[in-house]
């Protein structure tokens, strides 16, 4: 059998389709050799091999047809594998997006907290500057009075 009906990774949903492909392969003089040889190979290698078979004038039309049916089955298998990988990749990306959103929320909360603390510190600093300004003014007034007092006592 070129395509195993029980293999869920073969890419086909209907056993009737698999049976038809296998019948086409066998009725055209092919066997499981092409499919089994290439079922774990990358698609470009399968296509290159099929190209050489199709281009070879010494290979009969029926064998070419059998290999083409096997290649079709391998192509569907590859598409199913890619779809499965794509779904796995999409699930991974979805989890990563969720994780990134949680990190973003945490960072947003932290930035808001720091912004609030910054505003509080800025207000405290402004108050401290005003208090320092007032203290300096008071010191200047007291110094001025002290100088006046000293000058008035020196005159006596």
């Amino acid at each position: 059998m070129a395509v195993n009906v029980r293999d869920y990774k073969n890419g086909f949903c209907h056993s009737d389709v698999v049976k038809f492909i296998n019948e086409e392969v066998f009725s055209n003089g092919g066997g499981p050799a092409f499919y089994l040889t290439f079922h774990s190979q990358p698609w470009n290698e399968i296509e290159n091999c099929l190209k050489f078979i199709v281009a070879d004038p010494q290979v009969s039309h029926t064998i070419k047809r059998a290999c083409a049916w096997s290649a079709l089955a391998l192509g569907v298998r590859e598409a199913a594998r890619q779809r499965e990988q794509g779904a796995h990749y999409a699930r991974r990306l979805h989890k990563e997006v969720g994780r990134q959103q949680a990190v973003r929320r945490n960072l947003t909360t932290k930035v808001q907290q720091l912004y609030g603390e910054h505003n509080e510190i800025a207000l405290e600093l402004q108050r401290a500057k005003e208090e320092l300004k007032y203290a300096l003014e008071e010191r200047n007034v007291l110094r001025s009075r002290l100088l006046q007092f000293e000058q008035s006592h020196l005159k006596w």
Side-chain angles (χ1 to χ4, degrees), residues 2-18:
V3 181
N4 186 348
V5 178
R6 290 181 214 83
D7 182 7
Y8 73 95
K9 293 181 180 179
N10 70 22
F12 292 99
C13 299
H14 305 290
S15 60
D16 294 346
V17 174
V18 172

Side-chain angles (χ1 to χ4, degrees), residues 5 23 53-54 68 76 85 105 117 120 123 127 141 147:
V5 178
E23 286 172 10
I53 291 170
V54 170
V76 170
Q85 281 181 335
R105 283 190 300 271
E117 289 173 10
E120 287 177 23
L123 286 173
R127 280 189 216 115
V141 167
L147 287 174

Side-chain angles (χ1 to χ4, degrees), residues 18-48:
V18 172
K19 288 177 187 173
F20 176 78
I21 290 172
N22 287 336
E23 286 172 10
E24 283 297 311
V25 170
F26 295 131
S27 68
N28 287 294
F34 183 91
Y35 184 86
L36 292 176
T37 300
F38 293 99
H39 83 281
S40 63
Q41 300 297 318
W43 176 250
N44 62 335
E45 290 180 23
I46 296 167
E47 190 177 10
N48 288 340

Side-chain angles (χ1 to χ4, degrees), residues 21-91:
I21 290 172
N22 287 336
E23 286 172 10
E24 283 297 311
V25 170
F26 295 131
S27 68
N28 287 294
F34 183 91
Y35 184 86
L36 292 176
T37 300
F38 293 99
H39 83 281
S40 63
Q41 300 297 318
W43 176 250
N44 62 335
E45 290 180 23
I46 296 167
E47 190 177 10
N48 288 340
C49 184
L50 182 60
K51 177 186 171 209
F52 290 125
I53 291 170
V54 170
D56 188 347
Q58 293 183 1
V59 176
S60 71
H61 180 72
T62 55
I63 296 297
K64 289 178 185 180
R65 188 177 166 124
C67 289
W69 278 106
S70 292
L72 168 69
L74 289 166
V76 170
R77 180 185 184 97
E78 177 67 12
R81 186 185 67 76
Q82 287 178 356
R83 183 177 54 247
E84 191 175 302
Q85 281 181 335
H88 174 72
Y89 184 66
R91 286 189 300 274

Side-chain angles (χ1 to χ4, degrees), residues 88-102:
H88 174 72
Y89 184 66
R91 286 189 300 274
R92 256 186 42 221
L93 283 177
H94 185 70
K95 285 180 184 177
E96 182 63 21
V97 165
R99 192 181 73 75
Q100 290 294 331
Q101 286 175 339

